């Protein structure tokens, strides 16, 4: 059947909401995800899916949930239904698992939820993840969390979002007080007060939210006179100077709607999720690269997808790899035959006979999927950024390189193993495990490696040993940031402590001991730019 006239494809695409949560560790991402499951009716009580020590979701708990309630979980995405929508939550690991994969996964999202801690505002990891959303034009909704604890002033938080992230913020609701004085939130559109009531279950069960008109005696009784004055001032200020919300500006990444609440106590969660499924876009067309330039591929076009993540050795017995694809167009069915496209060339035809969704160590074979969905494939030579498509003639946008923060020099411990070392490094760099840089002045010296998260170095060393039988020596280098140089290299004046290198695609990268050094270098080289992404 022609995909464009496939009513199931059209319906299923419209139902999908594929998103990632961007936040700094501890802002409440896990808690919010759990509440999404609670409110979708998949969990009766929250608080059971968290491995408290690691702050990560415990796979075993997910597994039993999966079996009981039909939630599909890969190590890259979780899928379930919420009010008639199919939700795909992409996993963007933070904490010590923060890596280039976290950034790359974000490119597979149609939308992001930014969770901020109301006491802390915009923190570093949020800023970095937001930069990727900006780069890729991914719309962002903001949830300011932990209002049940002492918080910063909402106006100050909104101003910080605008100043630090360079996006307009538009408050959908407005908190009254915080911590012990937290009364609830005023809904700006309806001028109602949603009253905060602590549940006796500590947020484990769904909260019934009571809404009363803002000027009703009940609302007035709940709000202290001082709070009333502050609220009146704030609301007036928002009317006069605030940004009016427009869905078009949101979808164009020019504005972020802001919601306040408390994920732990469930306060403001349900209205936020309901607004989310309405506002968040379903999968839409994607710009692709063709021989003639670029064109747009609609979700209703024949099947196409791209590889955004590769995870190696998930099953130590089989030593295989899982390639995660994000479906961009068409209906995915088992045994589909697709063209495998890389760098403009069709490498081969592949039958996708063993599509998988992954649950812990057991693999369930999946039969059908739609645009917005994530499918895991037993890797047969896929690399990050590869396109799979029923029809040849285009490929999806290449994934950017993300700003590394850790740098090291690496060499084989036994020099006779150089061949295996070079081969291993080439393969692993191709998978996006690390970025490989070479000194600009001395390109034959041992390479530098660069990564977003330090754990990536450990994984690299482990895999070189396990898969290529090469022990390596790793010496950390004293650089903390870098930038891709834009300008005439012959005119560039390196600053003390910096290092000029070339990346695998021959682009010039400059490494610096600190952000201060990077800024200093820019001042010394006013005709140059240092890009965060390449
Ligand atoms: P993360 O995934 O973004 O890293 O954050 P996570 O949800 O794990 O939340 C980090 C901590 O903040 C947790 O406490 C969690 O209970 C708490 N938290 C999340 N949302 C709220 C909120 O709205 N109000 C309050 N008061 N706390 C919140 P923890 O002590 O680290 O872990 P736990 O032992 O309580 O689970």
């Amino acid at each position: 059947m022609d995909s464009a006239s496939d009513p199931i494809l059209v319906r299923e695409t419209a139902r999908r909401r594929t998103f990632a949560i961007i936040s700094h560790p501890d802002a409440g991402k896990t808690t919010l995800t759990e509440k999404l499951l609670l409110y979708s009716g998949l969990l009766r009580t929250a608080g059971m899916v968290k491995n408290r020590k690691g702050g990560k979701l415990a796979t075993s708990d997910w597994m039993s949930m999966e079996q009981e309630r039909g939630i599909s979980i890969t190590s890259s995405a979780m899928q379930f239904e919420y009010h008639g929508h199919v939700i795909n939550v992409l996993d963007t690991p933070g904490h010590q698992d923060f890596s280039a994969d976290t950034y790359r996964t974000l490119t597979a999202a149609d939308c992001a939820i930014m969770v901020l801690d109301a006491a802390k505002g915009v923190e570093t990891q949020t800023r970095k993840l937001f930069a990727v959303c900006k780069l890729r034009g991914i719309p962002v909704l903001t949830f300011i969390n932990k209002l049940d604890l002492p918080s910063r002033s909402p106006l100050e938080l909104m101003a910080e979002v605008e100043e630090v992230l360079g996006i307009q913020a538009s408050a959908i609701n407005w908190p009254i007080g915080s911590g012990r004085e937290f009364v609830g939130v005023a809904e700006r559109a309806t001028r109602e007060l949603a009253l905060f009531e602590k549940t006796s279950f500590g947020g484990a069960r769904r909260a019934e939210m009571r809404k009363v008109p803002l000027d009703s005696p009940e609302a007035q009784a709940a709000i202290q006179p001082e709070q009333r004055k502050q609220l009146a001032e704030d609301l007036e200020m928002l009317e006069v100077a605030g940004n009016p919300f427009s869905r078009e500006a949101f979808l164009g990444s020019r504005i972020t709607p802001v919601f306040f609440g408390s994920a732990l106590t469930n306060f403001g969660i349900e209205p936020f999720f309901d607004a989310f499924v309405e506002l968040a876009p379903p999968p839409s067309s994607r710009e692709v690269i063709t021989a003639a330039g670029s064109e747009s591929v609609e979700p209703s076009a024949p099947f196409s997808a791209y590889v955004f993540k590769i995870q190696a050795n998930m099953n130590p017995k089989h030593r295989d790899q899982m390639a995660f694809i994000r479906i961009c167009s068409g209906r995915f069915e088992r045994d589909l035959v697709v063209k495998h496209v890389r760098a403009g060339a069709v490498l081969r035809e592949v039958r996708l006979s063993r599509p998988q969704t992954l649950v812990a160590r057991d693999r369930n074979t999946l039969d059908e999927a739609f645009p917005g969905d994530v499918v895991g494939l037993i890797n047969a030579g896929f690399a990050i950024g590869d396109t799979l498509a029923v029809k040849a003639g285009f490929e999806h946008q290449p994934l950017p390189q993300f700003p590394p923060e850790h740098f090291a020099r690496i060499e084989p411990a036994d020099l006779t193993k150089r061949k295996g070392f070079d081969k291993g490094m080439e393969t692993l760099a191709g998978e996006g495990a690390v970025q490989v840089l070479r000194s600009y002045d001395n390109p034959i010296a041992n390479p530098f490696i660069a990564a977003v998260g330090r754990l990536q170095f450990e994984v690299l060393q482990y895999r070189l040993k396990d898969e290529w039988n090469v022990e390596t020596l790793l010496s950390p280098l004293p650089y903390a940031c870098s930038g891709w140089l834009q300008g005439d290299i012959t005119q560039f004046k390196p600053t003390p402590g910096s290092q000029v290198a070339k990346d695998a695609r021959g682009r010039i990268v400059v490494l610096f001991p600190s952000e201060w050094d990077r800024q200093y270098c820019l001042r010394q080289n006013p005709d140059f730019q240092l890009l965060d992404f390449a």
Side-chain angles (χ1 to χ4, degrees), residues 243-263:
N243 302 303
F245 179 71
S246 124
R247 184 153 190 260
E248 195 198 340
F250 160 66
L251 295 178
S253 300
R254 296 188 301 281
I255 207 163
T256 177
V258 179
F259 299 79
F260 292 85
S262 155

Side-chain angles (χ1 to χ4, degrees), residues 415-490:
L415 289 177
T416 62
K417 297 272 175 74
R418 157 122 350 236
K419 237 176 150 181
F421 172 78
D422 286 344
K423 190 89 195 75
M425 286 292 291
E426 193 188 317
T427 309
L428 293 171
E431 275 180 24
V434 290
Q435 294 176 39
V436 176
L437 309 174
R438 291 193 180 268
S439 162
Y440 183 74
D441 300 321
N442 185 7
I444 55 166
N446 282 317
F448 307 125
I449 50 174
V452 171
R454 189 180 290 281
L455 208 65
Q456 287 175 256
F457 290 163
E458 279 171 40
V459 172
L460 177 82
Q461 283 194 289
Y462 174 80
R463 290 190 56 196
L464 283 169
K465 180 164 178 285
D466 192 53
E467 294 165 41
W468 281 272
N469 197 24
V470 182
E471 291 272 6
T472 48
L473 300 174
L474 187 104
S475 350
L477 291 168
Y479 306 114
C481 61
S482 61
W484 278 273
L485 192 71
Q486 292 285 291
D488 176 4
I489 180 73
T490 60

Side-chain angles (χ1 to χ4, degrees), residues 26 28-31 50 52 95 145-146 148-149 262-264:
D26 288 340
K29 183 178 79 165
T30 313
T31 311
K50 212 167 130 213
R52 274 157 205 270
H95 292 273
N145 190 27
K146 305 198 186 183
D148 59 304
L149 295 177
S262 155
L264 187 70

Side-chain angles (χ1 to χ4, degrees), residues 177-194:
S178 73
R180 278 166 192 265
E181 273 81 51
F182 182 48
V183 175
V185 295
E187 299 292 338
R188 287 185 62 209
T190 57
R191 294 194 68 83
E192 280 180 320
L193 170 67

Side-chain angles (χ1 to χ4, degrees), residues 6 52 74 177 217 220 225 245 404:
D6 177 350
R52 274 157 205 270
T74 68
Q220 296 300 310
F245 179 71

Side-chain angles (χ1 to χ4, degrees), residues 112-239:
I113 293 178
M114 173 165 76
V115 181
L116 303 180
D117 181 325
K120 296 186 174 151
V122 180
E123 297 176 86
T124 27
Q125 222 165 82
T126 313
R127 196 167 37 75
K128 291 175 192 166
L129 293 164
F130 184 86
V132 179
C133 293
K134 206 169 184 178
L135 182 80
R136 304 286 290 205
I138 299 169
V140 176
L141 291 99
T142 302
F143 183 77
I144 301 191
N145 190 27
K146 305 198 186 183
L147 262 295
D148 59 304
L149 295 177
S151 309
R152 286 168 55 189
S153 117
L155 277 177
E156 197 184 301
L157 288 163
M158 299 271 291
E160 187 168 291
V161 166
E162 297 201 337
E163 274 158 31
V164 177
L165 303 177
I167 188 168
Q168 293 192 330
S170 176
I172 305 295
N173 59 27
W174 199 251
I176 305 163
S178 73
R180 278 166 192 265
E181 273 81 51
F182 182 48
V183 175
V185 295
E187 299 292 338
R188 287 185 62 209
T190 57
R191 294 194 68 83
E192 280 180 320
L193 170 67
L195 281 167
F196 175 61
E197 275 159 21
K198 268 199 177 148
T199 66
S200 52
F201 311 112
R205 310 236 178 117
R206 301 170 58 130
E208 294 304 328
M209 185 149 16
R210 209 151 51 88
K211 285 191 181 178
V212 291
L214 248 185
D215 44 17
S216 67
E218 206 175 355
Q220 296 300 310
I223 309 176
Q224 304 289 323
E226 245 172 60
Q227 290 181 325
R228 211 174 295 156
K229 191 165 155 265
Q230 181 73 50
L231 177 68
E233 276 173 23
D234 285 355
L235 291 182
E236 195 184 321
M237 167 94 134
L238 288 175
E239 285 315 315

